[in-house]
Amino acid sequence: MTRRTATGDALRAARSATGASATRDDVTGAEMAEPETTAPDIFVSGTACDGQGEPESAPPYSPYSPDTASTRLHRALRLRLCEGEFTPGEVISIRGVAAEYGTSAMPAREALRWLVTEGALVFSDSRKIIVPHLSRGRFEEVLFARRNLETEVARQAFANITDADIGVLEALDEGINTAISAADLQSYMRNNHRFHFHIYRLSGSTVLLPLVEILWLQYGPSMRYICTRWGASSIADDHHREITQALRRGDSAGFCAAIAADIEQGMMLLD
């Protein structure tokens, strides 16, 4: 199957229309020393103070994790990174994050430091926290790890996927097709992430799934950059459709093979 495609120019125009948020600023040494103040009660469980409840694709947290402003903010930023809302080289500001989410500097600082330890962000110098650029070699390693881990997680999920789940996946894939046709890069990235993690969370894995999430934290920004640069013209084979068709057939081997092929397609974009 072949998807409808959009040109690279259209995707670049779509990205430039999104603009930059208050999150992208310099971070100064003074910010790192700001005292903690009480965070306002504007967070809702699992999301970033938008009043809409937990996003469908928010990473799962242990029920034993503390429910604090910093953990909720970490989850919100984590999701945005996975969905490619940030691009390599962008500067993330403690003050900008705190202002955007209506909280104090301390939860923002803790959330960003947490993301640094996960490899999603780096200190470029003493004054800046940035989304890192991945070398070609490292990006290939991320995709190699994704292919091996995600096919196993998918295999574990297979028996738990219901007809209702397949319907959700088909709707998400249709959203991806629409986003490609409309050159809506953000919707493409968001629906692609939700498609994969709707499957993976059905595995119930408490070991492999967190590793997959860490890989997506590094993959999301770089994949957005690649899609922005090259457009969707290389995303021609609809492996998501092959995934849902294999599920309809009850074909576990075909399902896992289509998952692997979808990930390998990302490798071909590097050529």
Side-chain angles (χ1 to χ4, degrees):
M1 299 294 295
T2 302
R3 292 185 187 274
R4 291 179 293 177
T5 60
T7 66
D9 288 343
L11 279 170
R12 283 190 287 273
R15 181 187 181 277
S16 64
T18 62
S21 75
T23 314
R24 286 78 156 175
D25 293 300
D26 279 358
V27 52
T28 66
E31 285 182 285
M32 303 301 291
E34 288 181 1
E36 180 176 12
T37 58
T38 303
D41 294 330
I42 58 171
F43 284 97
V44 292
S45 178
T47 189
C49 50
D50 59 3
Q52 301 301 314
E54 185 167 356
E56 178 184 350
S57 55
Y61 271 58
S62 164
Y64 305 106
S65 297
D67 184 25
T68 65
S70 61
T71 58
R72 293 191 292 271
L73 182 52
H74 171 252
R75 185 187 305 194
L77 292 172
R78 211 168 185 256
L79 180 60
R80 291 171 66 184
L81 284 158
C82 286
E83 292 183 348
E85 189 169 328
F86 299 97
T87 55
E90 290 196 26
V91 179
I92 311 298
S93 164
I94 292 173
R95 285 179 178 168
V97 169
E100 184 174 355
Y101 287 91
T103 187
S104 67
M106 181 62 75
R109 184 184 300 109
E110 290 177 353
L112 292 178
R113 283 177 173 168
W114 196 346
L115 290 166
V116 169
T117 65
E118 292 175 322
L121 302 175
V122 296
F123 284 99
S124 65
D125 56 41
S126 62
R127 298 184 67 250
K128 289 183 180 179
I129 302 172
I130 67 169
V131 180
H133 289 275
L134 294 189
S135 66
R136 179 188 178 96
R138 183 162 180 176
F139 191 69
E140 288 177 342
E141 284 190 40
V142 168
L143 288 175
F144 176 82
R146 280 193 58 212
R147 180 180 59 191
N148 286 277
L149 289 178
E150 290 175 39
T151 51
E152 174 58 24
V153 171
R155 185 193 66 77
Q156 294 178 15
F158 181 80
N160 300 324
I161 299 174
T162 66
D163 286 342
D165 292 314
I166 299 173
V168 170
L169 294 171
E170 289 171 337
L172 287 169
D173 188 40
E174 184 57 36
I176 291 170
N177 290 336
T178 300
I180 290 174
S181 180
D184 185 348
L185 181 57
Q186 190 58 54
S187 291
Y188 165 76
M189 296 291 294
R190 181 179 300 114
N191 284 318
N192 183 58
H193 177 262
R194 291 180 178 180
F195 182 95
H196 282 269
F197 278 84
H198 189 89
I199 295 170
Y200 302 156
R201 292 198 179 95
L202 293 172
S203 70
S205 173
T206 58
V207 175
L208 298 183
L209 184 55
L211 297 177
V212 171
E213 290 166 352
I214 292 293
L215 292 172
W216 273 73
L217 282 174
Q218 299 179 52
Y219 164 82
S222 292
M223 192 60 194
R224 183 186 180 109
Y225 169 77
I226 290 171
C227 286
T228 300
R229 182 178 180 184
W230 298 111
S233 58
S234 296
I235 308 173
D237 294 325
D238 193 351
H239 296 299
H240 286 183
R241 182 170 176 81
E242 295 172 6
I243 289 167
T244 56
Q245 287 177 335
L247 287 170
R248 290 289 184 195
R249 297 193 306 268
D251 179 0
S252 176
F255 167 65
C256 292
I259 291 280
D262 186 59
I263 297 167
E264 288 166 357
Q265 187 168 239
M267 295 180 178
M268 290 187 289
L269 292 177
L270 296 176
D271 296 332

